[in-house]
């Protein structure tokens, strides 16, 4: 009986495993082209959309969409600087007179800029007080032609500043009362007078502009683009004047 080695035969390989596909399933065979940004040109496609969305956000995007970015910037600069100096002046100097002078100067600049520059350029409104020969004072309001509406961003940011900053000064006034900080109360009161004066002035100027616009529509007898002449136009005009006059005060 011959002895045969146990492992004398050859070992046959197993069946070859099926090859799996490589790469992204469903992906396009065309390689994506790199985006090269060259000064003076803009990127196209999704890359340009992403970059545009980043640039349009925040303060930069607001100023970019504004028709008068310098006026809008100065409006918030003077108002924010006055509050910042009032709150942080104690951290940089102990000179009470210097702090008061800087805050008063900033408040004065803000009051003048808001009434004469920002209101006229951003929302097309102005107001001032006139004294006639008899010594009687009266308020005069000026508004832009309704056919030239203000920029939406400018108008929105203007009214936000007009209402938000008086609330900030009111909060500081309450804090000063609670802390019995009487020395700074006159400055806070002055800030409230300046801010509330502009708020009331432009509110009445805007209401006066709406009245004039309503009166112009009513007098022409043109309601929502439909003309009414003769007696019909007079009746519609009278109804419009009475109705809108009550609504607008």
């Amino acid at each position: 009986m011959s002895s045969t080695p146990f492992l004398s035969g050859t070992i046959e390989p197993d069946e070859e495993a099926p090859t799996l596909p490589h790469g992204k399933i469903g992906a396009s065979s065309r390689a994506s082209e790199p985006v090269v940004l060259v000064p003076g040109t803009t990127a196209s496609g999704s890359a340009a959309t992403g970059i545009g969305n980043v640039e349009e956000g925040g303060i930069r995007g607001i100023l970019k969409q504004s028709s008068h970015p310098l006026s809008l910037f100065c409006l918030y600069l003077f108002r924010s600087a006055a509050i910042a100096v009032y709150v942080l002046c104690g951290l940089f100097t102990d000179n009470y007179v210097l702090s008061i002078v800087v805050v008063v100067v900033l408040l004065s600049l803000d009051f003048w800029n808001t009434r004469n520059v920002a209101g006229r350029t951003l929302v097309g409104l102005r107001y001032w007080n006139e004294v006639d020969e008899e010594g009687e004072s009266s308020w005069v309001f000026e508004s832009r032609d309704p056919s030239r509406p203000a920029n939406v961003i400018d108008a929105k940011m203007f009214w936000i500043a007009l209402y938000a900053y008086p609330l900030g000064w009111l909060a500081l006034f309450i804090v000063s009362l609670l802390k019995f900080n009487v020395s700074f109360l006159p400055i806070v009161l002055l800030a409230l007078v300046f801010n509330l004066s502009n708020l009331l002035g432009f509110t009445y100027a805007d209401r006066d502009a709406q009245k004039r616009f309503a009166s112009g529509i009513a007098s022409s007898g043109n309601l929502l683009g439909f003309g009414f002449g003769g007696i019909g136009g007079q009746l519609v005009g009278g109804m419009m004047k009475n109705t809108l006059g009550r609504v607008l005060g």
Side-chain angles (χ1 to χ4, degrees):
M1 179 175 181
S2 60
S3 60
T4 305
F6 185 70
L7 298 175
S8 60
T10 59
I11 300 176
E12 298 292 336
D14 296 333
E15 295 181 0
E16 295 182 359
T19 58
L20 298 177
H22 297 281
K24 297 181 179 179
I25 301 176
S28 176
S29 58
R30 187 180 65 179
S32 60
E33 299 179 358
V35 178
V36 180
L37 296 179
V38 181
T41 60
T42 58
S44 60
S46 59
T49 304
I51 296 174
N53 292 336
V54 174
E55 291 182 352
E56 292 299 328
I59 300 176
R60 182 179 179 182
I62 293 175
L63 294 177
K64 188 176 181 180
Q65 299 176 47
S66 172
S67 300
H68 304 278
L70 183 59
S71 297
L72 184 60
F73 176 76
C74 291
L75 173 66
Y76 277 84
L77 174 65
F78 293 140
R79 296 200 158 211
S80 302
I83 292 183
V85 172
Y86 173 81
V87 174
L88 303 176
C89 62
L91 300 177
F92 300 98
T93 180
D94 295 331
N95 193 333
Y96 172 79
V97 176
L98 178 62
S99 303
I100 294 299
V101 170
V102 174
V103 175
V104 170
V105 169
L106 290 173
L107 289 173
S108 302
L109 289 173
D110 169 64
F111 179 79
W112 182 88
N113 175 72
T114 302
R115 194 183 70 169
N116 298 297
V117 180
R120 179 175 56 84
T121 57
L122 299 180
V123 292
L125 298 173
R126 280 187 65 192
Y127 75 93
W128 64 90
N129 186 269
E130 286 185 354
V131 180
D132 57 13
E133 297 178 354
E134 298 179 356
E136 296 182 358
S137 62
S138 60
W139 290 97
V140 181
F141 303 109
E142 185 182 57
S143 59
R144 183 186 297 166
D145 187 355
S147 61
R148 299 169 52 205
N151 182 287
V152 177
I153 297 296
D154 290 341
K156 182 179 180 180
M157 298 304 297
F158 176 81
W159 290 110
I160 288 177
L162 227 61
Y163 279 92
Y165 283 91
L167 293 177
W169 284 110
L170 181 60
L172 293 175
F173 176 75
I174 296 174
V175 171
S176 298
L177 287 179
L178 295 177
K179 289 186 175 181
F180 298 101
N181 193 359
V182 183
S183 58
F184 282 94
L185 277 179
I187 298 302
V188 183
L189 290 175
L190 180 63
L192 285 174
V193 169
F194 280 173
N195 282 262
L196 292 177
S197 297
N198 273 329
L199 176 59
L200 293 176
F202 281 107
T203 299
Y204 281 107
D206 182 60
R207 185 177 299 180
D208 181 76
Q210 294 179 21
K211 278 186 177 181
R212 291 183 182 180
F213 179 67
S215 299
I217 295 178
S219 61
S220 63
N222 189 349
L223 179 62
L224 298 179
F226 298 95
F228 296 89
I231 300 176
Q234 295 178 4
L235 292 176
V236 173
M239 293 173 60
M240 286 286 294
K241 284 183 179 179
N242 294 332
T243 303
L244 295 175
R246 293 174 183 176
V247 172
L248 300 175

